[in-house]
Amino acid sequence: MKVAVITDCNSTFTQKTAKENGIFCVDMPVIIDGENFIQDVNLTSEMFYEALELDKDVSTSQPSPGSIMDLWDSVFEQGYDQIVYIPMSSGLSEACNTAKLLAEDYDGRVKVVDNHRISGTQTQSVLDAKEMAANGRDAEYIQKRLDETAYDQSIYIAVDTLKYLLKGGRVTPAGAALGTVLGIKPVLTIQGGKLDAFAKVRGMKKCGSKIIDAIRSDLENRFKDVNKEDIMIFTAGTLQSEEECNNWNELIRSEFPGFDINYYPLSLSIGAHIGPGSIAAGIAIKTR
C-alpha cells in the first residue's frame, strides 16, 4: 500500500521543503485589499507584515475545495493508493472540516487528520506520518495514531503588540490601552488547537523567560516519562530579521542542551492575529 502524506503551509513546510521531504503541500490564500496572494509564490512574509502595519485589509482563507481535490486527484494519478491529509487545527480554521466532507467522495482512500496542531507541532505530525507510511502502516492506522496523540504538544507565543489582538476582538479597547501604557505583553498558548491566554508579562525579555519556564515545566511534568530522543523542541515567531531569529533560537538551545532546535516562522494565519515581533517556542512528542 503506497500512502501519500499531504499537509498545508500552516505547518512549517513550503512547496520546496515539502518536495525535499517526499510530501505534498496545499497553499493557503491570503487576501490583501481584496486581492488574493499565495505565500512564497507572490507574497513574502515581509510584504505581509508591511500590509498589516499599513492597516490594509488583511485576511486569510482556507484553500478552495477545488484546489484540494485537484491535488488529491493528482497524487492518486502518481500511483499512490491512499492519502493522509494533515491540515491545520480545526480550532483555528474550517479547512479541516471542509476536507473531511470532501474525503467522503473518495471511498475511504483519503483520511483527514484533526490532531489540533499548527506550525512546528503540525510539522512533527507530518514527519511522523511519513515515517509510519515508510514502515508499512496504512492511512487508517496513521490517522488513528495521530488523533490519539493530538495533545502531546504545546506552543507558547509572546505578542509584542496588542494592536492585532484588539482587531480580532481578543482584548477589549480598554485592556489594550492599559496594556500598552504599562508595557504588558500577553503570552498565549496553543494546546488543543485554539489560541488561549497563558500569562501577562511586562516586557518581551520577561516573556522569553516565561516561555522557557513553560517548556521546562512540560519536560519535567507532562512529558517526564518520555525518552529524550522522542521529544522535539522548536522555536518560532514573527520576527522580521535573521539576527533576531538566530538570537531567540540560540537562547532556547542554551536552556535545553542536547536538543536539535530549529526556528520556524509562524504561519501567516497566526501572524494575522498577533502581528510582527512575536516570539514562540513549542514542544511535541514523536508518534509511532
Side-chain angles (χ1 to χ4, degrees):
M1 190 70 69
K2 192 176 181 184
V3 180
V5 178
I6 305 178
T7 189
D8 60 42
C9 65
N10 284 302
S11 67
T12 62
F13 286 104
T14 64
Q15 291 294 346
K16 178 182 178 183
T17 57
K19 185 175 183 180
E20 291 171 351
N21 284 273
I23 65 172
F24 302 87
C25 190
V26 174
D27 291 317
M28 303 292 288
V30 176
I31 305 166
I32 301 176
D33 285 344
E35 184 177 354
N36 283 352
F37 293 88
I38 298 296
Q39 185 176 357
D40 296 325
V41 176
N42 60 351
L43 179 68
T44 64
S45 62
E46 291 81 8
M47 293 167 59
F48 175 78
Y49 288 108
E50 182 181 13
L52 282 183
E53 292 177 335
L54 291 173
D55 287 326
K56 293 188 177 182
D57 183 13
V58 178
S59 60
T60 56
S61 174
Q62 62 177 298
S64 69
S67 66
I68 295 174
M69 295 175 76
D70 286 345
L71 177 58
W72 291 354
D73 293 341
S74 171
V75 167
F76 284 130
E77 289 170 2
Q78 294 176 48
Y80 288 90
D81 302 297
Q82 296 180 329
I83 288 173
V84 175
Y85 182 47
I86 309 173
M88 69 184 290
S89 167
S90 61
L92 297 169
S93 169
E94 281 299 311
C96 183
N97 292 329
T98 298
K100 286 183 176 181
L101 291 174
L102 298 177
E104 292 176 2
D105 291 334
Y106 285 81
D107 299 323
R109 299 176 69 198
V110 177
K111 298 297 183 182
V112 179
V113 174
D114 183 13
N115 66 339
H116 309 292
R117 300 191 180 194
I118 195 169
S119 188
T121 58
Q122 185 181 354
T123 289
Q124 186 61 47
S125 294
V126 173
L127 295 175
D128 292 342
K130 181 66 178 175
E131 184 172 336
M132 285 187 277
N135 289 332
R137 300 297 191 179
D138 64 14
E140 184 175 5
Y141 176 91
I142 296 170
Q143 177 199 28
K144 181 179 179 182
R145 286 293 296 135
L146 293 180
D147 284 347
E148 287 173 345
T149 58
Y151 300 104
D152 290 348
Q153 48 86 23
S154 299
I155 299 176
Y156 303 96
I157 307 168
V159 178
D160 186 46
T161 173
L162 294 169
K163 175 180 178 180
Y164 304 98
L165 292 175
L166 174 61
K167 280 187 174 182
R170 292 185 177 271
V171 294
T172 64
L178 182 61
T180 300
V181 170
L182 297 178
I184 293 174
K185 310 293 185 181
V187 179
L188 310 174
T189 186
I190 301 177
Q191 296 185 35
K194 293 184 178 181
L195 198 61
D196 294 314
F198 180 72
K200 295 178 182 178
V201 183
R202 295 187 70 175
M204 288 300 286
K205 186 174 182 179
K206 290 184 179 179
C207 285
S209 297
K210 179 65 72 173
I211 290 173
I212 289 168
D213 289 344
I215 295 293
R216 183 171 289 114
S217 176
D218 280 341
L219 286 173
E220 294 176 352
N221 296 288
R222 292 177 62 203
F223 306 130
K224 66 180 180 180
D225 296 325
V226 178
N227 292 328
K228 189 173 183 178
E229 59 269 22
D230 289 332
I231 299 174
M232 181 190 78
I233 298 175
F234 66 93
T235 59
T238 57
L239 299 171
Q240 297 300 289
S241 78
E242 185 175 353
E243 181 181 5
E244 289 176 317
C245 299
N246 290 337
N247 288 344
W248 174 234
N249 197 66
E250 289 307 311
L251 175 61
I252 298 297
R253 282 192 178 207
S254 69
E255 293 288 340
F256 302 103
F259 290 96
D260 183 18
I261 299 171
N262 295 300
Y263 178 87
Y264 300 118
L266 286 169
S267 74
L268 299 187
S269 292
I270 294 291
H273 295 286
I274 63 176
S278 70
I279 57 173
I283 184 170
I285 307 305
K286 185 179 181 65
T287 298
R288 290 187 173 87

